[in-house]
Amino acid sequence: MTASPIGLKVWVEGIVQGVGFRPFIYSLAVDHHLTGWVRNTSGGVEIMLNGAPENVDAFMTALRANPPSLARLDRVETHPTPVQVFQGFEILASQSDPDQFIPISPDVAICPDCRRELFDPTNRRYRYPFINCTNCGPRFTIIRDIPYDRPKTTMAGFPMCPACRSEYDNPLDRRFHAQPTACPECGPQLYFEVNSQPIAEREDALQMARWSLAKGKIIAIKGLGGFHLACDATNSEAVAELRRRKKRSDKAFALMAFDSAAVERHAHLSPEERALLESHSAPVVLLNRKLDSLIAAECAPGQNTLGFMLPYTPLHLLLLEPMSGFPDALVMTSGNLSEEPIAYSDEDARERLSGMADAFLQHDRPIHMRVDDSVARVFDCQPYLIRRSRGYAPNSIQLPAPAPQILAAGAELKNTFCLTREKYAFISHHIGDLENYETLQSFESGITHFENLFRVKPEAIACDLHPDYLASQYAQQRAQRENIQLIQVQHHHAHLAACLADNGWNSDEPVIGLSYDGTGMGTDGAIWGGEVLMGNYSGYRRMAHLAYVPLPGGDLAVRKPARMALAHLWAAGIEWETDLPPVKALCYEERTALRSQVEHCIASPDTSSMGRLFDAASALIGIRQEATYEGQAAIELEAIADVNEKSFYPINPDNGPIQMAGLWQAIISDWRAGIPTPILAARFHNSIVHLSVVICDQIRSRTGCSTVALSGGVWQNQYLLTRTVDQLKSAQFTVLVHHQVPANDGCIALGQAVVAAHLLQAA
């Protein structure tokens, strides 16, 4: 006897729009002989099912077990309903609700199906630079509002031709309701521009750009989230000229190659690194350079890594299509002057990039939200983010507990902001360093867009303690203007809390936090950065820290590691003898002024910064005396370190702040004895590893705490990270590291948000 039909209403939350979810539901329902409907709403996807109980059960099992690859099911609710009469199963029009919100999919790299069609001469989209489907293409960069429907994207100005409309309306087609769907007849087009004048269109424009790159020219290319500046990565003169025009002295450039095989000609690839390169997020992946690589040394001066990404749009694939005489790798760096936000509108690009680019490869699909490329490397077989942006943002992070609606303004450097609502933390794309008006505008417009997309009206704003940070000033002014609560969060507590949230920590038990970075205002007014904390979301205790040393000239000492080295030697009571590299690097007059500064506390705030300790070590052993970008001295110190060296210099962490006099004396002694620089660099790193493990062991012996969270920009150092994690685990510690957000200040907004949430809920 056949069981009577039942009715079931299903509610699904998560990333379920713009990822082929409704066609999946349609096919699943038809396959299981169910009637009813599915529709998008502003808060998720709603499904009505009628059918035999066993078929409904099978449908629900398949829904939970095998959703579309780009979907993320955060919540699935079911409610029995009376049986209704439906003629079949259909997809209804979207339902908008101004009070609802939904996670938004990030932009997704071109999928294998679209890639095949792109190079198939029999396909009507053959060599069309904007081919996409529900499994790939632009999302976040083109969406203006939710629900994610074409009229609410920048594709609204491209009416579909009959062939595209047929695909778009067919639930069984993989382009069903793929909002950027287009073809050569109805969609965006390429053009090549010189001196603001188009001189070629479509395929001719593409080939003109390729020819120009092969000839050593610098081309501005409009991509997914903004403009890139591109040149032949094997042409030293072209790369050097790009550096001169962009005013970027030494910082590494991102590179792009056609496929993993092309990347492997220049860099070593583990299976995990290959998977990350080829993932739908398609970040720039930091890889160890091969000695025989033809990539110009000017692409990554002083480094043994190269940052490669694969083409994530059809335009990039066509641009890098292998051909005799064409470079197999391009520099693909952000279209901006150093420290400015990436250009993303046509007018802005012409104004800001014309002095840097010989020509422009443009297209007429508007970009609504500028988004830089993400940067990552592999650690412990998992992605370890350096910059979280395209391909990841605005993916939400699920919080351990529901949170009020909060805006966290983030840090000054590597800024991101964060909004919380219920169990979600919506972390922005990488904004950059808030050091100029243009970046501040990008920060403010991004906040407005996120608040609109996710229907957040903050009831509190969290920010850093530092009063001069532009993000903090924005938070203070807005809190006052809107009469909402302002919550200031200490920088290194935010690092600790962010690492906990990144790992889904849902306990009130405190953990040991090694918060190592360059700068963050402490509660005593000093600049912290070498911090050993013990705490949780609600609070912390400062268990240990590097002894304070002067930071002579503030930011000047950051730009000149030689100054930092001499400040450390002065604090340790070590003479500035004339044979030492940092002494040689500074003229007599500068050394005299520097000594007066540190002795009389003139523009020399106290700092416990671990980042500045690495700078000092780099300068002391002769690697880097002056930095042209943040972290350069430490990056080059890591790059030269001998990975086979095991010895270290013992540092005694007992009896108050951690003193470094013994470390400096030992390094100077070895340096004078002629110990090679790579050995000295490794011994310094090993010393910090040993110190970190010893401190954690001492705290465990006093408190019983055996969980350690590693956060702060210093933990981007893979030599330090790998050895510290290995030794902590060997000592039976549980170690938490970042994977969803960077360890650097890109995680601060998340930490501020969860600290603020706990304070509000405890009040």
Side-chain angles (χ1 to χ4, degrees), residues 113-120 123 126 131 174-175:
D113 288 332
C114 284
R115 185 173 181 141
R116 281 192 294 271
E117 291 178 351
L118 182 67
F119 292 110
D120 179 2
N123 191 278
Y126 174 58
I131 190 171
R174 80 173 202 280
R175 291 191 169 90

Side-chain angles (χ1 to χ4, degrees), residues 169-190:
D169 289 337
N170 180 2
L172 299 179
D173 194 284
R174 80 173 202 280
R175 291 191 169 90
F176 175 76
H177 280 220
Q179 307 308 337
T181 289
C183 74
E185 299 303 316
C186 64
Q189 299 295 343
L190 281 182

